[in-house]
Amino acid sequence: MTTNPSTASNTDFLLAIEDLTVSFDGFKAVNGLNLYVDREEIRVIIGPNGAGKTTVLDLICGKTRATSGSIRFHNRELTRLAEHEIVWAGVGRKFQNPAIYENLTVAENLVVSYPKGRSVFGSLGFRRDATVQTRVEEVAEAVFLQDRLDEPAGILSHGQKQWLEIGMLLIQEPELIMLDEPVAGMSVRERQQTGELLARICQGRSMLIIEHDMDFVRSIAHKVTVMHQGKILVEGSMDKVHDDPRVKEVYLGH
Amino acid sequence: MNQAVNKLFGGLSGLVGFLLLAGLILIVLPGVLDGFRLNLVGKYLTYAFVAVSLVLCWGYGGILSLGQGIFFGLGGYCMAMFLKLEASSPANTAIQTTPGIPDFMDWNQITALPWFWKPFYSLPLTLIAIVALPTLFAWLISFALFKRRVGGVYFSIITQAIASILTILIVGQQGYTGGINGITDLRTLLGWDIRTDEAKWVLYFVTCALLLGVIVLSRLILTSKLGLLLVALRDQEDRVRFSGYDVANIKIFIFCVAAAISAIGGAMFTLQVGFMSPSFVGVVPSIELVIFAAVGGRYSLIGAVYGALLVNAAKTMFSESFPELWLYLMGGLFIAAVLLFPRGIAGLVERYGPPAMAAIGKRLPVPALRRGAPAVRSAK
Ligand SMILES: Nc1ncnc2c1ncn2[C@@H]1O[C@H](COP(=O)(O)OP(=O)(O)O)[C@@H](O)[C@H]1O
Ligand SMILES: [Mg+2]
């Protein structure tokens, strides 16, 4: 059962996760988790494989249903909303492997993600007018794809696909962007570009990022949360986390 | 102007393809075929409605329905019920125990017209029912399944099972449905004899006009954002869902549109052939309908029409001389189409057809918006 939101305290945090637990056949992948994300904060979650990081994102965006606990976004309980309603509330999520539409062009990928015409009849009547077009070009430029607009997304490189998916989130203007290992498999140069990209787009929104690359984490994180066995091990600044012996033991020492 | 061409026909090559098809069925075939053969082509064209509907829901939406015969049949039965009531006037059926009801009811000791037949005295109600009943049924099926996230192979098998159940039901309820023989001996439509050569000629052109209209309408759907969403869904269903769409609603919509299109084909079948029977509802005809789309090209609205025409022409020729061999040939054709030519005839024409076709296959530049309309590629 989820906590009754009226008993949970009101909060100024954009995202407030309290006592969140999910159990898969008795195995608690996330176990009594409490996590608070501020407005305009970039929070990075790190932790060993299987710690439950991806599962936390799955719970927030509704892909997995919580066994108990609460997830509030703008003080609105998300655990009871359908996936698309969570998106409408302002939560955007990027998957670990780039999830883009390979058979559509880059521009079409962005048009499909444009946050108007989301109902059946709305999408039938949706017009790709100058406003939409301008926005598509703007976003394409932000994610370094302005010259690839008319190419099928399937032929993009791995890094470009990651960017495109970030662009597909951006065009929806979510208040919270969640990214699962966004720089995995990218070249050094691409990592750097992605870091700049994320720093640029965090204006006016919060981000929750899962990442393993420590240099990358150091370059963007405001605050780092270390997860281990479904729980939070340590939370704080990158330096604090980095020097913590428990973190060294379960994660960084590897 | 260019934008209109992109939107309605999918670019210049789409327009050329559309005009070639229109020329073939409206001018060439009526010019060279005798009345009997033209009526056969008219019948094949009613299957083409279903093939086109499969391009929408299977080719684009990734929803393989193995039960399109359900909707073709329901549309056909609605039409047949109206025609049967008109043919069963008390004067025509004076020798029956209960005059004024369809003959097969009388043979089955039914003495009053069942309530669900009564609306079919009215042509307007019948015309509404032809589209509305199959659509409603499609909505029930797809709502129940897609809202529960049942899809893929499971959906296909369930549609097949429903087709099979419906056939059994129709055959079993002989007194209400005409049973295995179906509803036969249909004569007039508001007094107009549909059995004459002139009537068949007129009905052929009505079928053509409706089919061309359906193709344009389908094209409009495919070039809208909903059309893009269908392709997107096929690639990455979760990405669409987590971009803020209720995926089930999109699938339900396209499945219902496909059902409505198939039903119109069924109604035109009844009018041209003069009867409707459960042999057009079940599993085998439903699979045959999928084969037409697969052979013609499941991503091509126009290809699907050629698929229906060619496979049926072949079927008529072969089954006259080697009736036992046809089923095997059909199976082989399906496997070949799926394994070797997944884009069907349309794909072959695109690849090996005249280079001029390929050159003009590009979307037209649209002056107002330099990137052009969101037309989906490979949608000739
Ligand atoms: N849907 C699921 N069903 C069963 N077990 C799952 C499911 N999702 C995740 N798990 C398990 O939960 C644990 C945490 O997984 P995950 O969140 O992917 O870890 P991380 O992203 O931190 O590497 C793993 O042991 C994984 O096998
Ligand atoms: Mg993970």
Side-chain angles (χ1 to χ4, degrees):
Chain A
M1 266 312 297
T2 48
T3 317
N4 185 345
S6 61
T7 65
S9 55
N10 266 358
T11 164
D12 287 336
F13 290 107
L14 179 70
L15 180 74
I17 298 179
E18 288 172 347
D19 298 325
L20 188 66
T21 299
V22 67
S23 149
F24 298 116
D25 298 323
F27 168 69
K28 291 184 171 165
V30 172
N31 192 354
L33 185 90
N34 291 289
L35 184 78
Y36 301 89
V37 179
D38 250 328
R39 286 158 216 269
E40 308 213 7
E41 177 184 345
I42 301 189
R43 171 71 60 95
V44 178
I45 304 179
I46 63 172
N49 275 328
K53 305 181 297 294
T54 300
T55 307
V56 170
L57 298 199
D58 286 347
L59 286 163
I60 298 170
C61 74
K63 190 162 191 261
T64 301
R65 292 290 154 183
T67 310
S68 64
S70 115
I71 302 171
R72 275 169 306 142
F73 181 74
H74 278 301
N75 273 316
R76 184 167 170 212
E77 185 61 44
L78 295 187
T79 48
R80 274 185 288 271
L81 298 184
E83 293 95 327
H84 62 274
E85 292 169 328
I86 295 174
V87 177
W88 294 353
V91 178
R93 187 250 171 102
K94 192 193 139 342
F95 293 92
Q96 188 160 351
N97 296 315
I100 54 156
Y101 315 124
E102 308 228 323
N103 287 306
L104 298 179
T105 63
V106 170
E108 286 166 342
N109 269 270
L110 294 172
V111 168
V112 164
S113 312
Y114 192 83
K116 289 259 163 57
R118 275 172 162 168
S119 68
V120 165
F121 293 102
S123 67
L124 280 172
F126 178 82
R127 281 184 48 83
R128 197 171 158 182
D129 57 20
T131 322
V132 177
Q133 199 60 34
T134 313
R135 185 78 184 120
V136 165
E137 288 171 16
E138 248 170 50
V139 170
E141 192 155 351
V143 296
F144 320 112
L145 292 171
Q146 66 273 25
D147 299 326
R148 314 294 298 267
L149 276 170
D150 290 328
E151 289 174 42
I155 66 169
L156 297 179
S157 73
H158 177 79
Q160 288 170 326
K161 287 180 184 171
Q162 300 279 38
W163 287 338
L164 176 56
E165 199 183 350
I166 294 174
M168 289 157 68
L169 290 188
L170 266 188
I171 205 165
Q172 300 173 30
E173 306 196 33
E175 275 180 86
L176 174 68
I177 291 189
M178 305 194 292
L179 308 170
D180 200 345
E181 305 193 17
V183 298
M186 281 189 177
S187 68
V188 176
R189 164 132 182 78
E190 283 174 331
R191 282 171 194 232
Q192 193 196 336
Q193 278 180 291
T194 308
E196 288 162 13
L197 164 66
L198 296 185
R200 201 162 2 107
I201 64 179
C202 77
Q203 313 288 326
R205 59 170 63 91
S206 308
M207 289 205 239
L208 190 54
I209 303 175
I210 296 174
E211 195 42 76
H212 284 296
D213 184 285
M214 281 307 135
D215 296 331
F216 182 78
V217 173
R218 186 177 290 281
S219 72
I220 59 163
H222 297 166
K223 216 169 166 189
V224 177
T225 297
V226 186
M227 276 189 75
H228 181 52
Q229 297 181 341
K231 296 186 168 169
I232 290 180
L233 192 66
V234 187
E235 195 168 88
S237 69
M238 183 67 197
D239 290 330
K240 174 187 165 196
V241 163
H242 193 263
D243 296 336
D244 194 294
R246 288 169 299 171
V247 177
K248 284 216 169 75
E249 186 187 325
V250 305
Y251 184 52
L252 297 174
H254 287 267
Chain B
M1 168 62 197
N2 281 356
Q3 195 157 19
V5 169
N6 280 340
K7 223 167 166 40
L8 293 174
F9 304 103
L12 193 51
S13 75
L15 177 63
V16 171
F18 183 84
L19 292 178
L20 283 178
L21 177 70
L24 177 75
I25 61 177
L26 290 174
I27 300 165
V28 178
L29 292 179
V32 300
L33 295 179
D34 59 42
F36 173 73
R37 301 252 165 219
L38 193 67
N39 182 239
L40 271 185
V41 172
K43 184 172 89 174
Y44 304 160
L45 287 178
T46 66
Y47 302 142
F49 283 80
V50 188
V52 167
S53 84
L54 282 163
V55 170
L56 292 180
C57 77
W58 179 37
Y60 280 81
I63 304 163
L64 173 55
S65 164
L66 292 178
Q68 281 315 85
I70 299 168
F71 311 115
F72 182 83
L74 284 178
Y77 266 99
C78 287
M79 192 74 240
M81 284 161 86
F82 175 83
L83 297 173
K84 189 65 185 172
L85 286 181
E86 191 171 311
S88 310
S89 66
N92 284 343
T93 53
I95 56 162
Q96 289 178 186
T97 316
T98 314
I101 63 172
D103 48 12
F104 60 82
M105 289 184 189
D106 199 53
W107 301 333
N108 285 280
Q109 284 82 45
I110 286 174
T111 53
L113 194 70
W115 61 269
F116 64 88
W117 271 75
K118 298 219 164 98
F120 293 94
Y121 274 121
S122 149
L123 184 60
L125 284 184
T126 301
L127 294 180
I128 292 170
I130 284 170
V131 176
L133 281 183
T135 307
L136 184 69
F137 194 47
W139 184 83
L140 285 174
I141 296 172
S142 57
F143 187 88
L145 294 177
F146 292 143
K147 285 286 180 188
R148 288 192 179 80
R149 310 260 162 102
V150 176
V153 180
Y154 300 99
F155 185 86
S156 305
I157 292 173
I158 291 170
T159 52
Q160 195 171 48
I162 294 171
S164 163
I165 292 167
L166 193 64
T167 317
I168 294 169
L169 206 69
I170 293 173
V171 173
Q173 297 299 311
Q174 194 167 326
Y176 300 117
T177 63
I180 188 90
N181 297 322
I183 300 179
T184 57
D185 201 15
L186 308 175
R187 299 169 194 174
T188 55
L189 175 76
L190 297 182
W192 178 56
D193 195 331
I194 57 170
R195 294 162 300 179
T196 64
D197 286 347
E198 297 80 40
K200 288 192 167 155
W201 178 266
V202 171
L203 287 171
Y204 172 84
F205 284 103
V206 172
T207 304
C208 290
L210 284 172
L211 181 62
L212 294 172
V214 159
I215 290 174
V216 171
L217 190 83
S218 304
R219 165 69 51 208
L220 269 175
I221 293 176
L222 291 181
T223 49
S224 73
K225 190 184 185 195
L226 191 121
L228 290 181
L229 280 166
L230 289 176
V231 179
L233 267 180
R234 234 177 39 206
D235 272 358
Q236 294 280 353
E237 184 163 326
D238 262 347
R239 183 64 271 168
V240 177
R241 180 170 290 128
F242 292 105
S243 296
Y245 296 94
D246 189 339
V247 165
N249 285 349
I250 300 172
K251 292 183 169 185
I252 292 167
F253 173 79
I254 203 67
F255 189 65
C256 287
V257 170
I261 292 174
S262 304
I264 298 171
M268 291 315 296
F269 176 95
T270 301
L271 278 170
Q272 291 184 92
V273 181
F275 77 101
M276 187 37 106
S277 88
S279 61
F280 301 100
V281 176
V283 171
V284 174
S286 293
I287 291 177
E288 276 187 291
L289 292 163
V290 171
I291 295 177
F292 304 156
V295 169
R298 64 171 135 136
Y299 304 109
S300 167
L301 295 169
I302 293 189
V305 177
Y306 287 108
L309 287 176
L310 290 174
V311 176
N312 278 290
K315 178 179 180 175
T316 305
M317 279 183 338
F318 273 93
S319 52
E320 271 165 15
S321 12
F322 319 99
E324 332 72 56
L325 276 183
W326 173 247
L327 264 183
Y328 296 100
L329 201 76
M330 187 90 147
L333 208 57
F334 183 53
I335 293 168
V338 169
L339 291 182
L340 304 176
F341 319 107
R343 310 185 78 91
I345 296 170
L348 293 178
V349 170
E350 248 167 70
R351 185 160 346 143
Y352 302 109
M357 288 285 288
I360 56 176
K362 305 278 169 280
R363 276 172 267 165
L364 299 181
V366 177
L369 298 171
R370 67 191 167 83
R371 306 286 179 198
V376 179
R377 273 172 323 295
S378 77
K380 302 287 128 50

